[in-house]
Amino acid sequence: MKEGHYDHLAIEAKWQKYWDREKLFTAKTGAKAPKAYTLDMFAYPSGDGLHVGHPRGYIATDIFARYYRMRGMNVLRPVGWDAFGLPAENYAIKVGKPPAETTKENIKRFTKQLKSLGFVYDWEREINTSEPEYYKWTQWLFKVLYDNGYAYQKEAYANWCPSCQTVLANEQVANGRCERCDTLVEQKLLKQWFFKITDFADELISGLDKVDWPESTKVGQRNWIGRSEGASLKFQIPNSKFQIEVFTTRADTMFGATYLVLAPEHPVIKNEKLKIKNLEEVAQYIETTKKKSELERQIQKEKTGVQLEGVTAVNPATGKEIPIWVADYVLMDYGTGAIMAVPAHDERDFEFAKKFDLPVERVIKGGELPSTGHGQLINSGEFSGRNSMAAAADMAKQFGGKMQIQYKLHDWLISRQRYWGAPIPIIYKKGQPMLVEEKDLPVMLPTDVDFKPTGQSPLLGSKEFQKDVEKKYGKGARRELDTMDTFVCSSWYFLRYCDPHNEKEFADKKSLKYWMPVDLYIGGAEHTNGHLLYARFITKVLHKLGYLNFDEPFLKLRHQGLILAPDGEKMSKSRGNVINPDDLIAKYGADTLRVYEMFMGPFDQTVAWDTNGVTGVRKFLERAYKLVQERKSALASEDSSVHRLVKKVTEDIEEMKFNTVVSGMMEFVNDMSRVKDGGWTESFVKVLAPFAPHLAEEMWQKILGKQKSVFASTWPTFDPSKIAHTTVVIVVQEKGKLRGTVNLPAGASKDEVLTAVMQDERLAKIAKMASREVFVPDKIINFV
RNA sequence: GGGCAGGUGGUGGAACGGUAUACACGAAGGACUUAAAAUCCUUUGCCGGUAAUACGGCUUGUGGGUUCGAAUCCCACCCUGCCCACCA
């Protein structure tokens, strides 16, 4: 057997059992020690298991949990399963077993994988969103929202995925396609349940100022919420009772509005009383846009449209009648689904006007058309001469409009026509919805269901589901058949972790007060406009209703970077480039995998997997193991290198610069191999411990002979006075170019440095030729 | 089109006003071995120069600027990745 080799399988199994037994990471609610709530975005237990990319974030939180523990903090590091939802259900359909069964199997497999990586989760707090003990409170949450007017039902166009056979929230549609299966999404008019997230739009924006999150994530949320200030204006259709309401951020350009444009879905078009002369042509246009819709909207943005013949509207500013068009560059989703077109000062309107030869009226002085900036108003009646920015509000008011704030954010559509989710706790009686009473929660998800999606809710055929409903709620009572979006389940799970087994409340106030908010949250950046927004919204609702004493759930958020396959592509089963952690753990050990993933590159950056790099890390661990064995009994005092190492590791962990922690430890081991001194071993094992916990525990207890876990020890401190080098290398430069170095005791004066320089013939020559020199103590002397 | 993050050896990256290329991978050579693997040792930015040293020059996407000194700060441009995208 080679030197330094260790039996990772035996060592890792042994210490994993030991940590379980010792319960070192069981969180204690109410303990005096400062709390550290360290959280991963919980996993959905898919059929594929973990690939090597998944644990990257978990390794980081595990490092923090162990590090905080050693710093004497009361650590909460919980684990659970986002078990409801489409991926789990689709997998179940694929293998032809009920999702409850496959989910259980998958969780078992995931659990084994997570344990094999040596993660110290507090398994006593494990939760599973698909179990009644959990979803009872998801349903309770729905009830709280409904009772307070934050949950409502409405008929509206909704994103329908024909493949998943369900509606989707806006956040689950990307480029007009279903985020899960990439199918083109259709618009369907349906009666659905919504959460009023738009009520919190402003708070969701302002709250971002008080959290420590990546700037890109904050920007992403602000853009998604899409707040803009403007005015709502009304355009009368002559000789009718119809008015077209538009939203504009540029009320100041009203005098330049030469036509109106309606979105194809605009309801007024369907009204027969409008007497559109070319109704057939219009209907045809609407039909074609519906078909092409999202697909052709990509980059080819050639404007199309049809005029509503025989119909005009009056511009309230000019009093002139202007034409009305239908065009798909106006979206029904945003504002009122209608715009006033100002071709002189808007690029899109300009393009449209050019194509269809519509009049262009300049109302702001200067610049080539279309000019989109502000400036002095012209051709604007009594407003001419004023600054456009300052005049906007006055103008809107003058012509019957009002100032208004508009958001891109829509209310959150939470109904799903799928089986594997929490049932919505609603009963219909004579078509009227009413809440299931709290004492009757949870509404159990039935098992007598063909869970394959059909477009109808799979719960439709269940007898079990409707059993006893009439007995409780009277004749004709029927349960709501849709289930909730899984993002509802995951919008509050971090609260449940504080008190996961509570049967009376979603979590008791004391536990919430003690643990929340989450101190460090790590997960993927893809959740920016989904989970992270929803979780903040739910927190704000519960805060407003007095259930919580904070209104931001995650104080510090960081995203781990993606790990790509060695070919530089995303890992996926279909590409066949997936690297499985199980194989690596079997061959090299969990410690090696952990350290390598932290060593690969900056934590938040995308990196490609390189299995060759893994062997380098394994070699490092073996060298370290061998060295600790050799030096354990050497008598010596700690020298400056170990103080420097402790400083570097401590500071870099805090900044999440794990890659340099590892390289720092590697350098240290390389240096120490040349020194016979052994006074550093304890501190070294301690700083290694969060990264390679099994090997460090082995070193600590078996080599250094300690009786207790290394994680029960205290994190080493460093003495700044011992860090300074006693001798320093001073760089000698000529006009900034390196010419040589001199070695001197630290703190040498300029004269002492000059004396040293003069002793070197070559450097002395340079010094004599210089007119002056720049001296930086202990660093550099530059002759100019 | 907009926003954000980046561009440093053959590769992942380090340094983020003060010796650029730490650490690791890969590659080359050597030791051990019948041999291979493993391990250990040495070399490894580019160009010139030399028998080999010595020695010199160049180099952090491109071009400017600030500075005694710039990968690092400022300006302009080019390229890559991610997110958003006809949002009125």
Side-chain angles (χ1 to χ4, degrees):
Chain A
M1 192 180 289
K2 68 199 178 192
E3 269 188 296
H5 179 85
Y6 64 93
D7 180 355
H8 57 265
L9 292 175
I11 285 179
E12 292 178 357
K14 176 174 69 182
W15 296 118
Q16 281 165 19
K17 257 186 230 141
Y18 173 83
W19 296 323
D20 261 359
R21 208 170 55 230
E22 295 289 311
K23 295 189 190 302
L24 280 171
F25 288 85
T26 301
K28 294 161 207 77
T29 301
K32 282 236 171 62
K35 64 101 181 177
Y37 188 171
T38 309
L39 185 65
D40 305 307
M41 289 187 186
F42 66 166
Y44 58 81
S46 72
D48 299 335
L50 295 174
H51 68 60
V52 117
H54 293 114
R56 196 178 187 188
Y58 307 157
I59 295 168
T61 41
D62 201 65
I63 287 168
F64 273 108
R66 291 172 183 272
Y67 167 72
Y68 287 147
R69 173 74 175 77
M70 291 171 83
R71 301 212 69 158
M73 298 178 89
N74 184 20
V75 174
L76 172 56
R77 172 163 159 73
V79 64
W81 312 103
D82 191 8
F84 268 144
L86 280 176
E89 190 173 354
N90 288 342
Y91 177 74
I93 290 165
K94 205 175 90 192
V95 301
K97 289 190 202 170
E101 216 172 284
T102 56
T103 299
K104 215 173 246 167
E105 288 165 13
N106 291 342
I107 287 177
K108 217 170 143 192
R109 181 136 137 260
F110 268 65
T111 301
K112 207 178 147 203
Q113 285 191 304
L114 293 183
K115 288 196 166 171
S116 75
L117 278 150
F119 295 144
V120 280
Y121 289 114
D122 182 353
W123 289 96
E124 286 173 25
R125 289 174 188 255
E126 180 178 358
I127 58 170
N128 174 338
T129 59
S130 70
E131 282 171 358
E133 297 78 54
Y134 184 90
Y135 70 71
K136 171 180 177 178
W137 299 105
T138 306
Q139 292 171 341
W140 171 86
L141 183 70
F142 179 95
K143 177 186 143 54
V144 168
L145 267 74
Y146 184 87
D147 278 342
N148 292 282
Y150 295 122
Y152 67 95
Q153 210 176 14
K154 80 170 173 195
E155 189 169 49
Y157 280 99
N159 307 301
W160 176 263
C161 173
S163 163
C164 295
Q165 297 273 325
T166 183
V167 295
L168 301 170
N170 278 7
E171 289 77 10
Q172 288 144 26
V173 179
N175 286 324
R177 289 169 182 276
C178 170
E179 203 177 47
R180 289 256 168 261
C181 66
D182 221 33
T183 306
L184 278 173
V185 166
E186 295 167 3
Q187 295 300 305
K188 239 183 173 179
L189 192 65
L190 293 163
K191 199 168 191 184
Q192 301 284 305
W193 287 96
F194 291 85
F195 283 172
K196 243 184 192 171
I197 190 170
T198 52
D199 267 19
F200 291 81
D202 282 328
E203 284 157 68
L204 287 167
I205 292 170
S206 62
L208 292 171
D209 294 337
K210 52 184 176 186
V211 291
D212 174 9
W213 284 26
E215 196 50 37
S216 57
T217 308
K218 291 187 182 184
V219 169
Q221 290 206 348
R222 279 191 207 108
N223 290 346
W224 187 260
I225 295 165
R227 183 184 200 274
S228 57
E229 288 176 24
S232 146
L233 303 169
K234 286 180 180 141
F235 286 67
Q236 183 70 39
I237 296 178
N239 310 317
S240 84
K241 61 180 173 69
F242 293 111
Q243 280 186 329
I244 310 281
E245 193 179 348
V246 304
F247 173 76
T248 178
T249 53
R250 294 297 302 272
D252 52 291
T253 60
M254 261 174 101
F255 282 84
T258 51
Y259 61 101
L260 294 187
V261 188
L262 308 180
E265 300 87 354
H266 200 288
V268 81
I269 301 168
K270 291 199 194 86
N271 201 307
E272 288 166 17
K273 287 176 189 157
L274 203 61
K275 296 199 180 92
I276 301 169
K277 282 184 184 157
N278 58 340
L279 202 56
E280 212 164 290
E281 192 190 354
V282 170
Q284 207 174 10
Y285 176 74
I286 292 169
E287 208 41 49
T288 42
T289 55
K290 213 185 221 169
K291 270 183 204 148
K292 76 165 190 183
S293 66
E294 310 291 345
L295 195 99
E296 289 164 55
R297 272 190 178 184
Q298 299 291 328
I299 300 178
Q300 282 255 338
K301 284 169 189 164
E302 178 76 7
K303 299 268 184 297
T304 59
V306 172
Q307 187 178 355
L308 301 186
E309 282 169 21
V311 190
T312 58
V314 176
N315 181 331
T318 60
K320 284 186 195 155
E321 286 190 29
I322 56 175
I324 304 176
W325 286 67
V326 192
D328 65 359
Y329 82 94
V330 173
L331 309 172
M332 194 58 222
D333 271 37
Y334 185 72
T336 60
I339 61 152
M340 64 172 204
V342 186
H345 306 291
D346 181 281
E347 285 174 26
R348 296 150 302 179
D349 298 344
F350 186 79
E351 197 191 319
F352 192 80
K354 280 281 158 237
K355 180 159 178 187
F356 295 103
D357 204 21
L358 291 157
V360 179
E361 291 278 348
R362 178 192 278 276
V363 292
I364 289 169
K365 206 173 162 182
E368 200 180 312
L369 295 183
S371 76
T372 53
H374 279 278
Q376 194 188 356
L377 287 167
I378 54 172
N379 305 324
S380 296
E382 61 188 279
F383 292 92
S384 295
R386 286 185 63 183
N387 177 276
S388 61
M389 185 130 40
D394 293 343
M395 217 189 267
K397 209 172 145 196
Q398 171 81 23
F399 300 114
K402 59 174 196 288
M403 296 312 283
Q404 195 184 312
I405 289 159
Q406 194 57 242
Y407 301 93
K408 285 206 296 199
L409 183 71
H410 285 63
D411 278 340
W412 175 14
L413 198 175
I414 59 117
S415 312
R416 295 292 179 272
Q417 291 71 44
R418 294 290 297 237
Y419 168 65
W420 193 233
I424 296 174
I426 286 283
I427 306 282
Y428 294 98
K429 243 180 116 176
K430 292 179 187 153
Q432 287 305 302
M434 56 184 272
L435 270 178
V436 172
E437 283 172 44
E438 187 168 345
K439 67 174 171 54
D440 293 330
L441 294 181
V443 175
M444 296 290 287
L445 186 66
T447 50
D448 64 332
V449 168
D450 178 11
F451 48 81
K452 288 177 196 73
T454 58
Q456 299 269 355
S457 173
L459 299 186
L460 183 64
S462 169
K463 285 189 184 129
E464 187 187 323
F465 194 51
Q466 304 291 356
K467 197 183 142 210
D468 295 338
V469 174
E470 293 199 327
K471 212 156 72 191
K472 271 182 191 155
Y473 295 93
K475 213 169 156 35
R478 282 288 176 273
R479 287 193 193 282
E480 163 71 53
L481 297 171
D482 287 350
T483 53
M484 279 187 256
D485 181 4
T486 18
F487 280 101
V488 180
C489 308
S490 60
S491 67
W492 73 281
Y493 77 106
F494 45 91
L495 303 173
R496 186 65 177 170
Y497 278 143
C498 298
D499 189 17
H501 307 300
N502 196 325
E503 289 174 10
K504 297 197 179 80
E505 294 169 273
F506 70 103
D508 84 358
K509 272 211 156 109
K510 243 175 46 201
S511 309
L512 289 167
K513 199 175 165 197
Y514 181 79
W515 289 114
M516 286 298 293
V518 173
D519 297 288
L520 176 64
Y521 196 27
I522 293 182
E526 70 275 15
H527 291 109
T528 298
N529 293 329
H531 163 65
L532 288 168
L533 199 61
Y534 298 143
R536 293 182 61 223
F537 157 63
I538 292 298
T539 301
K540 285 178 190 299
V541 172
L542 293 176
H543 172 249
K544 191 159 212 170
L545 300 175
Y547 290 101
L548 303 175
N549 65 338
F550 55 90
D551 66 351
E552 282 295 337
F554 316 123
L555 292 181
K556 179 170 177 174
L557 169 76
R558 292 294 181 270
H559 303 301
Q560 78 275 13
L562 230 52
I563 293 183
L564 301 175
D567 58 8
E569 299 287 329
K570 260 191 186 173
M571 281 188 204
S572 75
K573 242 186 166 175
S574 55
R575 281 207 184 85
N577 58 5
V578 174
I579 309 273
N580 185 324
D582 300 353
D583 305 340
L584 289 156
I585 291 171
K587 192 164 173 197
Y588 301 102
D591 286 333
T592 302
L593 180 66
R594 291 169 60 114
V595 175
Y596 176 61
E597 290 209 7
M598 293 300 100
F599 180 58
M600 291 176 84
F603 179 67
D604 56 0
Q605 224 167 79
T606 302
V607 268
W609 185 264
D610 173 16
T611 299
N612 283 322
V614 176
T615 57
V617 167
R618 171 73 195 207
K619 277 190 236 168
F620 154 67
L621 291 177
E622 287 181 1
R623 274 203 307 276
Y625 186 57
K626 182 181 148 208
L627 200 62
V628 170
Q629 272 177 319
E630 286 172 3
R631 301 288 192 274
K632 60 177 173 183
S633 57
L635 275 175
S637 56
E638 295 207 335
D639 83 333
S640 61
S641 352
V642 72
H643 284 273
R644 252 174 266 139
L645 176 72
V646 170
K647 178 175 194 283
K648 179 169 182 60
V649 173
T650 307
E651 289 174 357
D652 287 1
I653 286 179
E654 295 285 350
E655 290 174 51
M656 300 185 74
K657 289 159 72 176
F658 304 119
N659 54 332
T660 56
V661 171
V662 176
S663 68
M665 291 194 294
M666 284 173 169
E667 268 177 280
F668 181 79
V669 166
N670 292 346
D671 289 350
M672 287 302 120
S673 309
R674 292 176 213 120
V675 179
K676 284 284 165 278
D677 195 307
W680 47 268
T681 46
E682 279 196 19
S683 293
F684 171 72
V685 172
K686 284 181 183 179
V687 298
L688 177 68
F691 291 79
H694 311 87
L695 187 62
E697 190 76 275
E698 177 77 12
M699 290 169 172
W700 188 252
Q701 298 201 33
K702 296 296 165 197
I703 302 177
L704 302 181
K706 305 289 180 182
Q707 300 303 307
K708 283 186 182 159
S709 169
V710 66
F711 300 103
S713 75
T714 49
W715 188 254
T717 51
F718 59 89
D719 181 348
S721 69
K722 286 193 178 149
I723 280 173
H725 291 83
T726 48
T727 61
V728 291
V729 179
I730 293 181
V731 173
V732 182
Q733 291 182 336
E734 180 187 12
K735 290 184 194 136
K737 277 191 181 148
L738 178 69
R739 286 293 116 109
T741 56
V742 289
N743 287 301
L744 284 171
S749 70
K750 186 172 170 182
D751 286 343
E752 285 165 327
V753 172
L754 282 171
T755 312
V757 167
M758 289 308 171
Q759 271 154 26
D760 182 299
E761 203 184 317
R762 244 166 37 85
L763 298 179
K765 218 165 131 191
I766 292 162
K768 278 176 199 150
M769 275 165 55
S771 57
R772 69 185 183 98
E773 62 282 324
V774 178
F775 175 66
V776 182
D778 289 348
K779 274 193 176 155
I780 207 157
I781 185 148
N782 189 11
F783 294 103
V784 188

